[in-house]
Amino acid sequence: MWGLQMRRFFLLLFIVSISYSSFSETITAAGDPWPPFLDPESPNEGIVLEIARAAYKTQGYEVEMKFVPWARAVHGVKEADYDVLLGTWHTKEREEFLLFSDAYLENEIKFIKREDDSFEFTGMDSLTDKNVGIVRGYGYGDEFLNATNFRRPEGKDLLISIKKLVNDRIDLTLEDEIVARAMLKKQAPHLLKKIKFTKNALSTNSLHVTSGLKNSKHKEYIKAFNEGFKEIKSNGSFEKILKKYGF
């Protein structure tokens, strides 16, 4: 009798697992390493991915992350090669090919300067004639990207821009201070002593999940995140994730 009951029990478990997998769909996300928000070297791959996975799980989705250069990630989501970008700043240009979720976190974008530089950001006029290094494909805001009184040499990542900065090849670069410090601590800690951050920020940018308009399920993916995010906020999961990362 015990053997028969156990066989029935394991059969039931098998049926439940098959049923769950049949209703679970995998969403492919793309982005570049951006610690502590997206971090392939951390156990849970960063706070952004933890939030996204928790939110999507409540709606029956799993999230598979692909770490690629940011410009490739944006192009891939635009062309529906990937399903979503998890950490997207809003720009008008991106509205032409992406659907945005509700905001779920914020970044405060500050200018990075050489340690001995007295520069302080006081508006776009204060950037006149400067070379401000940017990461190719990042959305720094329409006012910054459309300004014509300074130059914006591009690089594939922030570390390249900071190396240019300390070697006097550009005047400034910019990034969320938390992200910049985390990246340098891991990849080039000796550079931390050679840079400073402005007190004033360029902007406070909200973070969104986005899906390409060419993706046949883009509305479904964004709606699922929005609903899932509401759920993890109400059940306390979101607050636990924030505390885990010291936010």
Side-chain angles (χ1 to χ4, degrees), residues 15-78:
I15 292 172
V16 169
S17 66
I18 291 296
S19 298
Y20 178 78
S21 63
S22 65
F23 287 104
S24 179
E25 181 180 340
T26 298
I27 291 175
T28 304
D32 61 341
W34 196 42
F37 294 94
L38 288 169
D39 186 358
E41 295 183 9
S42 76
N44 296 302
E45 298 184 296
I47 185 173
V48 160
L49 200 50
E50 275 210 63
I51 291 169
R53 282 180 170 148
Y56 274 120
K57 188 174 182 179
T58 69
Q59 307 300 303
Y61 292 93
E62 302 294 325
V63 178
E64 179 184 1
M65 185 67 198
K66 302 290 186 181
F67 285 99
V68 296
W70 178 249
R72 189 190 307 174
V74 174
H75 179 77
V77 171
K78 179 181 179 180

Side-chain angles (χ1 to χ4, degrees), residues 33-221:
W34 196 42
F37 294 94
L38 288 169
D39 186 358
E41 295 183 9
S42 76
N44 296 302
E45 298 184 296
I47 185 173
V48 160
L49 200 50
E50 275 210 63
I51 291 169
R53 282 180 170 148
Y56 274 120
K57 188 174 182 179
T58 69
Q59 307 300 303
Y61 292 93
E62 302 294 325
V63 178
E64 179 184 1
M65 185 67 198
K66 302 290 186 181
F67 285 99
V68 296
W70 178 249
R72 189 190 307 174
V74 174
H75 179 77
V77 171
K78 179 181 179 180
E79 298 300 322
D81 297 326
Y82 308 116
D83 296 318
V84 295
L85 293 164
L86 298 181
T88 319
W89 297 336
H90 178 270
T91 66
K92 281 290 185 181
E93 179 188 1
R94 288 175 176 174
E95 284 185 352
E96 296 176 4
F97 58 90
L98 295 175
L99 180 65
F100 284 74
S101 74
D102 296 336
Y104 65 92
L105 283 177
E106 288 186 340
N107 295 123
E108 191 174 51
I109 310 305
K110 292 185 176 181
F111 289 91
I112 306 171
K113 58 187 180 178
R114 286 181 289 276
E115 194 277 333
D116 59 353
D117 190 348
S118 62
F119 170 82
E120 181 55 62
F121 176 69
T122 56
M124 292 299 162
D125 287 346
S126 64
L127 300 176
T128 297
D129 294 332
K130 292 190 179 294
N131 289 304
V132 185
I134 64 173
V135 176
R136 188 177 301 116
Y138 273 28
Y140 297 95
D142 296 316
E143 184 182 11
F144 176 85
L145 292 174
N146 294 329
T148 58
N149 60 313
F150 59 92
R151 293 166 293 279
R152 291 174 290 272
E154 295 184 342
K156 74 172 185 177
D157 58 41
L158 177 63
L159 183 57
I160 287 175
S161 290
I162 291 179
K163 287 179 178 179
K164 288 180 180 179
L165 176 69
V166 299
N167 288 313
D168 294 326
R169 293 171 58 193
I170 57 175
D171 301 304
L172 301 164
T173 186
L174 66 168
E175 179 56 276
D176 180 281
E177 184 171 351
I178 294 172
V179 172
R181 289 189 181 279
M183 182 277 293
L184 288 175
K185 186 176 180 180
K186 282 190 173 184
Q187 298 185 34
H190 65 286
L191 294 180
L192 280 168
K193 296 180 179 179
K194 299 182 179 182
I195 63 165
K196 289 168 60 176
F197 294 82
T198 56
K199 293 180 180 178
N200 300 327
L202 168 69
S203 62
T204 299
N205 292 348
S206 55
L207 276 180
H208 305 260
V209 172
T210 53
S211 186
L213 301 183
K214 289 184 180 180
N215 192 313
S216 62
K217 293 186 175 182
H218 68 276
K219 292 182 180 178
E220 177 183 323
Y221 292 150

Side-chain angles (χ1 to χ4, degrees), residues 224-235:
F225 176 80
N226 287 339
E227 294 300 318
F229 183 59
K230 290 176 184 176
E231 189 164 334
I232 65 172
K233 283 189 75 175
S234 65
N235 66 21

